[in-house]
Amino acid sequence: MEKIYKTVASSHVSISVLMLPSHTNFSGKIHGGYILSLLDQIAFACGSKFSGNYCVTASVDTVNFLKPIEVGELVTMKASVNYVGKSSMIVGIRVEAENIQTGYKKHCNSSYFTMVAKDNEGNSVAVPGLILSNFEDVKRFCNSLKQIALKKERDLHEEVFNYTSKETLEGLKKYNIQINLD
């Protein structure tokens, strides 16, 4: 069977949603949890469109809330597959909010979701290879490689770090904590 490749552009998905008062938190700004829900939906749509399969969220690797979103703004999310593995994809999402009265747009959020393609029985399935068609695609792919390397390094550190050593406990004294171990 011949390997299938698809362009990054074939994965592009965008949604626009008007922010309503019902989407606010206690400070009157749009609730981050609501934005996360929309991010998960567009990541699913992007991964499923690219892979041709149902996708599940394996991890939310980065969510940077850069600027608050106001009631009445039109939020547009743009997603694309930045990286593919065997059955996984890293979906990058950019969130912009537009004041529909003035036309002013602001970059509010950048997020990276790892999605895994599944078959009807819930088993992971292979995803198409990725065709990088321009230097922006190459940049995003390389940034994903860096992100994966950092995640592996962090996981390795978690495995070998000794949380119970005297040195670790002494080093924690400079923080605003109190340690009461029995």
Side-chain angles (χ1 to χ4, degrees):
M1 188 164 122
E2 189 173 321
K3 177 78 173 161
I4 297 171
Y5 289 84
K6 290 185 175 181
T7 63
V8 171
S10 73
S11 74
H12 288 176
V13 175
S14 65
I15 59 171
S16 294
V17 181
L18 183 64
M19 295 295 107
L20 303 175
S22 61
H23 303 141
T24 59
N25 59 23
F26 291 109
S27 69
K29 306 296 182 196
I30 300 304
H31 196 287
Y34 178 68
I35 298 301
L36 283 169
S37 174
L38 293 174
L39 289 167
D40 193 50
Q41 290 174 43
I42 194 169
F44 166 81
C46 181
S48 295
K49 178 182 177 184
F50 182 79
S51 70
N53 289 285
Y54 178 80
C55 289
V56 297
T57 305
S59 67
V60 180
D61 301 313
T62 306
V63 178
N64 293 318
F65 291 101
L66 306 172
K67 294 184 177 146
I69 299 172
E70 308 289 338
V71 170
E73 290 184 324
L74 183 65
V75 169
T76 300
M77 298 185 176
K78 298 174 184 175
S80 66
V81 171
N82 293 349
Y83 168 89
V84 296
K86 292 177 185 163
S87 62
S88 66
M89 300 155 281
I90 294 178
V91 174
I93 308 164
R94 180 181 173 93
V95 179
E96 292 181 343
E98 178 182 2
N99 180 312
I100 57 177
Q101 294 172 329
T102 66
Y104 173 74
K105 293 180 183 177
K106 60 186 176 185
H107 178 205
C108 297
N109 184 298
S110 290
S111 302
Y112 299 92
F113 281 58
T114 300
M115 306 301 290
V116 177
K118 299 287 187 173
D119 64 16
N120 292 336
E121 285 77 45
N123 300 308
S124 297
V125 294
V127 298
L130 193 61
I131 299 170
L132 308 177
S133 304
N134 54 55
F135 286 115
E136 186 65 24
D137 293 349
V138 172
K139 179 183 98 173
R140 289 179 179 166
F141 186 85
C142 289
N143 285 342
S144 294
L145 292 175
K146 290 180 197 173
Q147 194 175 352
I148 291 165
L150 287 171
K151 192 174 180 181
K152 285 181 181 176
E153 185 178 315
R154 184 179 64 241
D155 290 347
L156 179 63
H157 176 77
E158 293 278 332
E159 287 179 23
V160 299
F161 187 74
N162 183 353
Y163 295 94
T164 62
S165 73
K166 185 176 180 178
E167 294 82 18
T168 298
L169 296 172
E170 284 297 316
L172 295 176
K173 289 183 178 180
K174 65 182 178 184
Y175 296 98
N176 187 23
I177 62 169
Q178 186 178 46
I179 300 174
N180 295 328
L181 302 173
D182 293 336

